[in-house]
Short mmCIF file of all heavy atoms in Angstrom, two decimals:
data_model
loop_
_atom_site.label_atom_id
_atom_site.label_comp_id
_atom_site.label_asym_id
_atom_site.label_seq_id
_atom_site.Cartn_x
_atom_site.Cartn_y
_atom_site.Cartn_z
N MET A 14 -69.21 78.36 55.82
CA MET A 14 -67.79 78.53 55.45
C MET A 14 -67.06 77.18 55.49
O MET A 14 -66.15 76.95 54.71
CB MET A 14 -67.13 79.52 56.51
CG MET A 14 -65.77 79.98 56.03
SD MET A 14 -65.93 80.96 54.56
CE MET A 14 -64.28 81.59 54.42
N LYS A 15 -67.44 76.32 56.44
CA LYS A 15 -66.87 75.03 56.50
C LYS A 15 -67.14 74.16 55.28
O LYS A 15 -66.30 73.43 54.86
CB LYS A 15 -67.43 74.30 57.84
CG LYS A 15 -66.82 74.78 59.04
CD LYS A 15 -67.33 73.99 60.21
CE LYS A 15 -66.79 74.47 61.52
NZ LYS A 15 -67.24 73.61 62.63
N ILE A 16 -68.26 74.37 54.72
CA ILE A 16 -68.76 73.59 53.53
C ILE A 16 -67.90 74.08 52.34
O ILE A 16 -67.39 73.24 51.56
CB ILE A 16 -70.20 73.80 53.22
CG1 ILE A 16 -71.03 73.17 54.35
CG2 ILE A 16 -70.64 73.19 51.86
CD1 ILE A 16 -72.54 73.38 54.17
N VAL A 17 -67.61 75.38 52.16
CA VAL A 17 -66.74 75.82 51.13
C VAL A 17 -65.31 75.32 51.26
O VAL A 17 -64.76 74.85 50.21
CB VAL A 17 -66.77 77.42 51.13
CG1 VAL A 17 -65.77 77.93 50.12
CG2 VAL A 17 -68.15 77.97 50.90
N ASN A 18 -64.80 75.30 52.45
CA ASN A 18 -63.41 74.71 52.64
C ASN A 18 -63.37 73.26 52.42
O ASN A 18 -62.47 72.78 51.77
CB ASN A 18 -62.99 75.04 54.09
CG ASN A 18 -62.55 76.42 54.37
OD1 ASN A 18 -62.34 77.27 53.39
ND2 ASN A 18 -62.67 76.88 55.62
N LEU A 19 -64.48 72.56 52.79
CA LEU A 19 -64.53 71.15 52.52
C LEU A 19 -64.62 70.88 50.98
O LEU A 19 -63.96 69.94 50.53
CB LEU A 19 -65.75 70.59 53.23
CG LEU A 19 -65.93 69.03 53.07
CD1 LEU A 19 -64.80 68.28 53.74
CD2 LEU A 19 -67.28 68.66 53.71
N LEU A 20 -65.42 71.65 50.27
CA LEU A 20 -65.47 71.47 48.85
C LEU A 20 -64.16 71.79 48.19
O LEU A 20 -63.76 71.03 47.22
CB LEU A 20 -66.62 72.37 48.25
CG LEU A 20 -68.07 71.89 48.55
CD1 LEU A 20 -69.06 72.88 48.04
CD2 LEU A 20 -68.32 70.49 47.91
N ILE A 21 -63.47 72.84 48.62
CA ILE A 21 -62.17 73.20 47.96
C ILE A 21 -61.24 72.09 48.24
O ILE A 21 -60.46 71.74 47.27
CB ILE A 21 -61.74 74.55 48.49
CG1 ILE A 21 -62.63 75.66 47.97
CG2 ILE A 21 -60.29 74.82 48.06
CD1 ILE A 21 -62.30 77.01 48.52
N THR A 22 -61.17 71.57 49.41
CA THR A 22 -60.25 70.44 49.77
C THR A 22 -60.62 69.18 48.94
O THR A 22 -59.67 68.53 48.41
CB THR A 22 -60.31 70.14 51.24
OG1 THR A 22 -60.09 71.33 52.08
CG2 THR A 22 -59.36 69.10 51.62
N LEU A 23 -61.89 68.91 48.81
CA LEU A 23 -62.36 67.72 48.08
C LEU A 23 -61.93 67.83 46.58
O LEU A 23 -61.48 66.92 45.97
CB LEU A 23 -63.82 67.52 48.24
CG LEU A 23 -64.37 66.30 47.53
CD1 LEU A 23 -63.86 65.04 48.06
CD2 LEU A 23 -65.94 66.38 47.58
N ILE A 24 -62.13 69.08 46.02
CA ILE A 24 -61.81 69.27 44.58
C ILE A 24 -60.30 69.12 44.44
O ILE A 24 -59.81 68.55 43.44
CB ILE A 24 -62.30 70.66 44.14
CG1 ILE A 24 -63.82 70.61 44.00
CG2 ILE A 24 -61.68 71.04 42.84
CD1 ILE A 24 -64.44 71.96 43.82
N ALA A 25 -59.53 69.69 45.35
CA ALA A 25 -58.07 69.57 45.22
C ALA A 25 -57.50 68.17 45.27
O ALA A 25 -56.71 67.72 44.52
CB ALA A 25 -57.34 70.40 46.31
N VAL A 26 -58.15 67.39 46.21
CA VAL A 26 -57.80 65.92 46.37
C VAL A 26 -58.22 65.18 45.11
O VAL A 26 -57.42 64.34 44.57
CB VAL A 26 -58.43 65.32 47.59
CG1 VAL A 26 -58.27 63.79 47.65
CG2 VAL A 26 -57.80 65.88 48.87
N LEU A 27 -59.34 65.45 44.49
CA LEU A 27 -59.80 64.72 43.37
C LEU A 27 -59.00 65.09 42.15
O LEU A 27 -58.66 64.23 41.33
CB LEU A 27 -61.27 65.03 43.08
CG LEU A 27 -62.33 64.41 44.05
CD1 LEU A 27 -63.68 64.88 43.73
CD2 LEU A 27 -62.20 62.86 43.94
N LEU A 28 -58.57 66.35 42.05
CA LEU A 28 -57.63 66.74 40.98
C LEU A 28 -56.22 66.04 41.13
O LEU A 28 -55.67 65.59 40.09
CB LEU A 28 -57.42 68.27 40.88
CG LEU A 28 -58.61 69.07 40.34
CD1 LEU A 28 -58.39 70.55 40.53
CD2 LEU A 28 -58.80 68.73 38.91
N PHE A 29 -55.80 65.93 42.34
CA PHE A 29 -54.55 65.28 42.53
C PHE A 29 -54.65 63.79 42.14
O PHE A 29 -53.72 63.25 41.53
CB PHE A 29 -54.05 65.45 43.93
CG PHE A 29 -52.80 64.74 44.37
CD1 PHE A 29 -51.61 65.25 43.89
CD2 PHE A 29 -52.81 63.57 45.07
CE1 PHE A 29 -50.37 64.64 44.26
CE2 PHE A 29 -51.62 62.91 45.39
CZ PHE A 29 -50.44 63.40 44.98
N ILE A 30 -55.65 63.12 42.59
CA ILE A 30 -55.85 61.77 42.28
C ILE A 30 -55.94 61.50 40.81
O ILE A 30 -55.43 60.58 40.30
CB ILE A 30 -57.06 61.20 43.08
CG1 ILE A 30 -56.77 61.15 44.56
CG2 ILE A 30 -57.42 59.78 42.62
CD1 ILE A 30 -57.90 60.76 45.49
N SER A 31 -56.79 62.31 40.19
CA SER A 31 -56.97 62.09 38.68
C SER A 31 -55.71 62.43 37.92
O SER A 31 -55.43 61.74 36.91
CB SER A 31 -58.09 62.98 38.26
OG SER A 31 -57.71 64.38 38.25
N GLY A 32 -54.84 63.37 38.40
CA GLY A 32 -53.61 63.62 37.73
C GLY A 32 -52.62 62.50 37.86
O GLY A 32 -51.82 62.23 36.99
N CYS A 33 -52.67 61.80 39.00
CA CYS A 33 -51.77 60.69 39.20
C CYS A 33 -52.17 59.44 38.47
O CYS A 33 -51.43 58.53 38.25
CB CYS A 33 -51.70 60.34 40.76
SG CYS A 33 -50.92 61.61 41.68
N SER A 34 -53.50 59.35 38.08
CA SER A 34 -54.00 58.10 37.59
C SER A 34 -53.80 58.15 36.02
O SER A 34 -53.94 57.08 35.42
CB SER A 34 -55.44 57.89 37.93
OG SER A 34 -56.23 58.85 37.36
N THR A 35 -53.59 59.25 35.43
CA THR A 35 -53.40 59.31 33.95
C THR A 35 -52.15 58.69 33.51
O THR A 35 -51.08 58.96 34.16
CB THR A 35 -53.64 60.77 33.43
OG1 THR A 35 -52.65 61.54 34.04
CG2 THR A 35 -54.98 61.30 33.70
N GLN A 36 -52.09 57.92 32.46
CA GLN A 36 -50.90 57.35 32.02
C GLN A 36 -50.44 58.06 30.74
O GLN A 36 -51.18 58.31 29.78
CB GLN A 36 -51.15 55.85 31.62
CG GLN A 36 -51.48 55.01 32.82
CD GLN A 36 -51.65 53.55 32.46
OE1 GLN A 36 -51.77 53.20 31.27
NE2 GLN A 36 -51.74 52.67 33.49
N VAL A 37 -49.15 58.41 30.77
CA VAL A 37 -48.61 59.08 29.65
C VAL A 37 -47.98 57.98 28.76
O VAL A 37 -47.18 57.19 29.20
CB VAL A 37 -47.41 59.98 30.12
CG1 VAL A 37 -46.78 60.72 28.94
CG2 VAL A 37 -47.99 61.11 31.06
N PRO A 38 -48.37 57.99 27.44
CA PRO A 38 -47.79 56.89 26.55
C PRO A 38 -46.28 57.12 26.41
O PRO A 38 -45.79 58.17 26.27
CB PRO A 38 -48.49 57.16 25.24
CG PRO A 38 -48.98 58.57 25.29
CD PRO A 38 -49.27 58.91 26.74
N LYS A 39 -45.53 55.97 26.52
CA LYS A 39 -44.11 55.98 26.39
C LYS A 39 -43.77 56.20 24.89
O LYS A 39 -44.34 55.64 24.05
CB LYS A 39 -43.55 54.70 26.87
CG LYS A 39 -43.70 54.50 28.36
CD LYS A 39 -43.02 53.27 28.88
CE LYS A 39 -43.19 53.18 30.38
NZ LYS A 39 -42.61 51.94 30.85
N GLU A 40 -42.79 57.08 24.67
CA GLU A 40 -42.36 57.38 23.34
C GLU A 40 -41.33 56.30 22.86
O GLU A 40 -40.38 56.04 23.53
CB GLU A 40 -41.72 58.77 23.33
CG GLU A 40 -41.89 59.54 22.08
CD GLU A 40 -41.33 60.89 22.19
OE1 GLU A 40 -41.90 61.76 22.88
OE2 GLU A 40 -40.26 61.08 21.57
N LYS A 41 -41.56 55.76 21.75
CA LYS A 41 -40.73 54.73 21.18
C LYS A 41 -39.80 55.41 20.18
O LYS A 41 -40.23 56.24 19.36
CB LYS A 41 -41.45 53.57 20.63
CG LYS A 41 -42.23 52.79 21.62
CD LYS A 41 -42.92 51.65 20.98
CE LYS A 41 -43.74 50.89 22.06
NZ LYS A 41 -44.51 49.76 21.46
N ASN A 42 -38.56 55.01 20.18
CA ASN A 42 -37.56 55.60 19.23
C ASN A 42 -37.68 54.82 17.92
O ASN A 42 -37.04 53.68 17.87
CB ASN A 42 -36.18 55.58 19.76
CG ASN A 42 -35.26 56.30 18.92
OD1 ASN A 42 -35.65 56.95 17.92
ND2 ASN A 42 -33.92 56.29 19.32
N LYS A 43 -38.41 55.27 17.01
CA LYS A 43 -38.54 54.55 15.70
C LYS A 43 -37.82 55.26 14.63
O LYS A 43 -38.24 56.38 14.24
CB LYS A 43 -40.01 54.37 15.31
CG LYS A 43 -40.83 53.51 16.29
CD LYS A 43 -42.22 53.42 15.85
CE LYS A 43 -43.02 52.54 16.80
NZ LYS A 43 -44.45 52.43 16.37
N VAL A 44 -36.85 54.68 14.10
CA VAL A 44 -36.05 55.30 13.03
C VAL A 44 -36.07 54.22 11.88
O VAL A 44 -35.43 53.19 12.04
CB VAL A 44 -34.65 55.62 13.44
CG1 VAL A 44 -33.87 56.24 12.26
CG2 VAL A 44 -34.63 56.60 14.58
N GLY A 45 -36.73 54.60 10.82
CA GLY A 45 -36.91 53.68 9.74
C GLY A 45 -35.64 53.52 8.94
O GLY A 45 -35.10 52.42 8.67
N ASP A 46 -35.08 54.63 8.53
CA ASP A 46 -33.89 54.64 7.63
C ASP A 46 -32.79 55.38 8.39
O ASP A 46 -32.80 56.62 8.39
CB ASP A 46 -34.22 55.31 6.29
CG ASP A 46 -33.06 55.16 5.32
OD1 ASP A 46 -32.11 54.48 5.60
OD2 ASP A 46 -33.14 55.75 4.29
N ILE A 47 -31.84 54.65 8.88
CA ILE A 47 -30.77 55.28 9.70
C ILE A 47 -29.86 56.22 8.83
O ILE A 47 -29.46 57.30 9.30
CB ILE A 47 -29.86 54.22 10.34
CG1 ILE A 47 -30.67 53.37 11.29
CG2 ILE A 47 -28.67 54.76 11.03
CD1 ILE A 47 -31.17 54.09 12.53
N SER A 48 -29.65 55.83 7.62
CA SER A 48 -28.75 56.70 6.80
C SER A 48 -29.37 58.06 6.54
O SER A 48 -28.58 59.01 6.33
CB SER A 48 -28.53 56.02 5.52
OG SER A 48 -29.73 55.87 4.72
N ARG A 49 -30.63 58.31 6.56
CA ARG A 49 -31.25 59.57 6.38
C ARG A 49 -31.13 60.37 7.67
O ARG A 49 -31.16 61.65 7.62
CB ARG A 49 -32.69 59.43 6.06
CG ARG A 49 -32.96 58.97 4.66
CD ARG A 49 -34.40 58.97 4.26
NE ARG A 49 -35.24 59.72 5.14
CZ ARG A 49 -36.49 59.39 5.50
NH1 ARG A 49 -37.00 58.38 4.98
NH2 ARG A 49 -37.20 60.11 6.33
N HIS A 50 -31.03 59.78 8.84
CA HIS A 50 -30.99 60.50 10.12
C HIS A 50 -29.61 60.63 10.68
O HIS A 50 -29.46 61.23 11.75
CB HIS A 50 -31.91 59.77 11.07
CG HIS A 50 -33.31 59.63 10.68
ND1 HIS A 50 -34.16 60.66 10.72
CD2 HIS A 50 -33.99 58.62 10.13
CE1 HIS A 50 -35.34 60.33 10.25
NE2 HIS A 50 -35.24 59.05 9.92
N SER A 51 -28.61 60.13 10.00
CA SER A 51 -27.27 60.19 10.53
C SER A 51 -26.34 60.87 9.59
O SER A 51 -26.47 60.79 8.42
CB SER A 51 -26.74 58.72 10.74
OG SER A 51 -25.48 58.79 11.27
N VAL A 52 -25.39 61.63 10.12
CA VAL A 52 -24.39 62.33 9.34
C VAL A 52 -23.37 61.36 8.91
O VAL A 52 -22.74 61.42 7.86
CB VAL A 52 -23.80 63.51 10.12
CG1 VAL A 52 -22.73 64.19 9.27
CG2 VAL A 52 -24.87 64.49 10.43
N PHE A 53 -23.02 60.34 9.74
CA PHE A 53 -22.02 59.37 9.52
C PHE A 53 -22.62 57.97 9.19
O PHE A 53 -23.57 57.55 9.81
CB PHE A 53 -21.10 59.25 10.72
CG PHE A 53 -20.42 60.49 11.06
CD1 PHE A 53 -20.89 61.25 12.19
CD2 PHE A 53 -19.36 61.03 10.39
CE1 PHE A 53 -20.30 62.52 12.47
CE2 PHE A 53 -18.70 62.19 10.68
CZ PHE A 53 -19.21 62.98 11.82
N ASN A 54 -22.02 57.42 8.19
CA ASN A 54 -22.45 56.02 7.78
C ASN A 54 -21.43 55.01 8.38
O ASN A 54 -20.27 54.88 7.99
CB ASN A 54 -22.39 55.90 6.23
CG ASN A 54 -22.98 54.58 5.75
OD1 ASN A 54 -23.59 53.90 6.49
ND2 ASN A 54 -22.83 54.31 4.47
N LEU A 55 -21.89 54.31 9.47
CA LEU A 55 -20.96 53.43 10.20
C LEU A 55 -20.95 52.05 9.56
O LEU A 55 -21.52 51.12 10.13
CB LEU A 55 -21.41 53.41 11.65
CG LEU A 55 -21.24 54.70 12.40
CD1 LEU A 55 -21.77 54.53 13.89
CD2 LEU A 55 -19.76 55.14 12.41
N ASP A 56 -20.33 51.92 8.47
CA ASP A 56 -20.06 50.64 7.88
C ASP A 56 -18.60 50.19 8.24
O ASP A 56 -17.93 50.89 8.95
CB ASP A 56 -20.32 50.61 6.41
CG ASP A 56 -19.48 51.67 5.69
OD1 ASP A 56 -18.63 52.35 6.30
OD2 ASP A 56 -19.62 51.82 4.40
N ALA A 57 -18.20 49.08 7.68
CA ALA A 57 -16.86 48.49 8.04
C ALA A 57 -15.79 49.46 7.64
O ALA A 57 -14.80 49.68 8.38
CB ALA A 57 -16.67 47.13 7.37
N GLU A 58 -15.89 50.10 6.47
CA GLU A 58 -14.83 50.97 5.95
C GLU A 58 -14.76 52.28 6.90
O GLU A 58 -13.70 52.70 7.22
CB GLU A 58 -15.16 51.41 4.55
CG GLU A 58 -14.09 52.40 3.95
CD GLU A 58 -14.47 52.89 2.53
OE1 GLU A 58 -15.42 52.26 2.01
OE2 GLU A 58 -13.84 53.74 2.06
N THR A 59 -15.91 52.75 7.26
CA THR A 59 -15.90 53.92 8.07
C THR A 59 -15.29 53.65 9.48
O THR A 59 -14.61 54.44 10.05
CB THR A 59 -17.40 54.44 8.28
OG1 THR A 59 -17.92 54.74 6.98
CG2 THR A 59 -17.39 55.73 9.00
N ILE A 60 -15.59 52.50 10.02
CA ILE A 60 -15.07 52.12 11.30
C ILE A 60 -13.53 51.99 11.22
O ILE A 60 -12.82 52.44 12.14
CB ILE A 60 -15.72 50.78 11.85
CG1 ILE A 60 -17.17 51.10 12.04
CG2 ILE A 60 -14.99 50.30 13.07
CD1 ILE A 60 -17.99 49.86 12.41
N LYS A 61 -13.03 51.47 10.17
CA LYS A 61 -11.56 51.32 9.98
C LYS A 61 -10.92 52.68 9.88
O LYS A 61 -9.90 53.00 10.48
CB LYS A 61 -11.20 50.55 8.75
CG LYS A 61 -11.48 49.03 8.90
CD LYS A 61 -11.13 48.32 7.65
CE LYS A 61 -11.41 46.79 7.71
NZ LYS A 61 -11.12 46.10 6.52
N ASN A 62 -11.56 53.60 9.14
CA ASN A 62 -11.16 54.97 9.03
C ASN A 62 -11.17 55.78 10.44
O ASN A 62 -10.23 56.49 10.69
CB ASN A 62 -11.98 55.80 8.01
CG ASN A 62 -11.61 55.37 6.65
OD1 ASN A 62 -10.54 54.87 6.32
ND2 ASN A 62 -12.58 55.62 5.70
N LEU A 63 -12.15 55.39 11.23
CA LEU A 63 -12.23 56.02 12.54
C LEU A 63 -11.10 55.62 13.47
O LEU A 63 -10.57 56.45 14.22
CB LEU A 63 -13.60 55.72 13.22
CG LEU A 63 -14.83 56.50 12.68
CD1 LEU A 63 -16.00 55.92 13.30
CD2 LEU A 63 -14.67 58.00 12.88
N GLU A 64 -10.67 54.29 13.27
CA GLU A 64 -9.55 53.89 14.06
C GLU A 64 -8.27 54.62 13.67
O GLU A 64 -7.36 54.73 14.49
CB GLU A 64 -9.44 52.32 13.86
CG GLU A 64 -10.52 51.57 14.50
CD GLU A 64 -10.48 50.03 14.17
OE1 GLU A 64 -9.67 49.65 13.29
OE2 GLU A 64 -11.28 49.29 14.76
N LYS A 65 -8.20 55.01 12.38
CA LYS A 65 -7.09 55.77 11.95
C LYS A 65 -7.16 57.26 12.23
O LYS A 65 -6.25 58.01 11.94
CB LYS A 65 -6.87 55.51 10.46
CG LYS A 65 -6.61 54.13 10.07
CD LYS A 65 -6.50 54.02 8.56
CE LYS A 65 -6.40 52.50 8.09
NZ LYS A 65 -6.47 52.45 6.61
N GLY A 66 -8.38 57.70 12.70
CA GLY A 66 -8.55 59.10 13.01
C GLY A 66 -9.10 59.85 11.83
O GLY A 66 -9.12 61.15 11.85
N ILE A 67 -9.70 59.16 10.84
CA ILE A 67 -10.28 59.85 9.64
C ILE A 67 -11.76 59.84 9.80
O ILE A 67 -12.35 58.80 10.04
CB ILE A 67 -9.83 59.08 8.39
CG1 ILE A 67 -8.31 59.09 8.30
CG2 ILE A 67 -10.54 59.76 7.15
CD1 ILE A 67 -7.84 58.17 7.09
N ILE A 68 -12.36 60.96 9.64
CA ILE A 68 -13.88 61.05 9.64
C ILE A 68 -14.29 61.61 8.26
O ILE A 68 -13.93 62.73 7.90
CB ILE A 68 -14.28 62.00 10.77
CG1 ILE A 68 -13.87 61.47 12.16
CG2 ILE A 68 -15.75 62.19 10.76
CD1 ILE A 68 -14.17 62.33 13.31
N LYS A 69 -15.20 60.87 7.59
CA LYS A 69 -15.84 61.32 6.37
C LYS A 69 -17.34 61.54 6.60
O LYS A 69 -17.92 60.71 7.26
CB LYS A 69 -15.60 60.32 5.24
CG LYS A 69 -14.14 60.24 4.80
CD LYS A 69 -14.06 59.34 3.63
CE LYS A 69 -12.62 59.16 3.09
NZ LYS A 69 -12.59 58.30 1.95
N GLU A 70 -17.79 62.69 6.05
CA GLU A 70 -19.28 62.89 6.14
C GLU A 70 -20.04 62.08 5.07
O GLU A 70 -19.54 62.01 3.92
CB GLU A 70 -19.54 64.38 5.99
CG GLU A 70 -19.20 65.14 7.23
CD GLU A 70 -19.70 66.58 7.08
OE1 GLU A 70 -20.87 66.83 7.08
OE2 GLU A 70 -18.80 67.51 6.82
N HIS A 71 -21.17 61.62 5.44
CA HIS A 71 -22.00 60.90 4.52
C HIS A 71 -23.24 61.89 4.12
O HIS A 71 -24.01 62.16 5.03
CB HIS A 71 -22.59 59.64 5.19
CG HIS A 71 -23.67 58.93 4.32
ND1 HIS A 71 -23.34 58.28 3.16
CD2 HIS A 71 -24.94 58.75 4.46
CE1 HIS A 71 -24.38 57.73 2.60
NE2 HIS A 71 -25.41 58.06 3.45
N LEU A 72 -23.19 62.35 2.94
CA LEU A 72 -24.24 63.39 2.55
C LEU A 72 -25.19 62.83 1.68
O LEU A 72 -25.17 61.97 0.97
CB LEU A 72 -23.58 64.61 1.91
CG LEU A 72 -22.62 65.30 2.79
CD1 LEU A 72 -21.94 66.45 1.97
CD2 LEU A 72 -23.24 65.88 3.97
#
């Protein structure tokens, strides 16, 4: 019975150690074309309109 408990403990420790050692790749925010992913086109004219409280959608 002691051997079974020892094996279960050893397996649990090994699973814990292997779970901690794996590296998750970091996700990078890659957006090639901003105008396709954005509802608003933030150019100079749009920024001036926003200062006046005007919002136009870019479709």
Side-chain angles (χ1 to χ4, degrees):
M14 192 66 173
K15 287 183 179 183
I16 295 175
V17 173
N18 287 339
L19 181 65
L20 286 175
I21 291 173
T22 305
L23 181 64
I24 290 171
V26 169
L27 289 175
L28 285 173
F29 178 76
I30 291 172
S31 67
C33 292
S34 67
T35 57
Q36 293 181 351
V37 178
K39 292 183 180 178
E40 217 174 284
K41 294 182 180 177
N42 189 7
K43 294 181 180 178
V44 179
D46 186 9
I47 298 294
S48 63
R49 286 186 13 214
H50 300 284
S51 178
V52 177
F53 300 102
N54 188 10
L55 292 178
D56 56 2
E58 181 183 349
T59 306
I60 293 172
K61 287 180 183 178
N62 287 339
L63 285 174
E64 290 173 351
K65 297 176 186 175
I67 300 171
I68 298 176
K69 290 185 179 181
E70 286 187 70
H71 175 69
L72 299 176

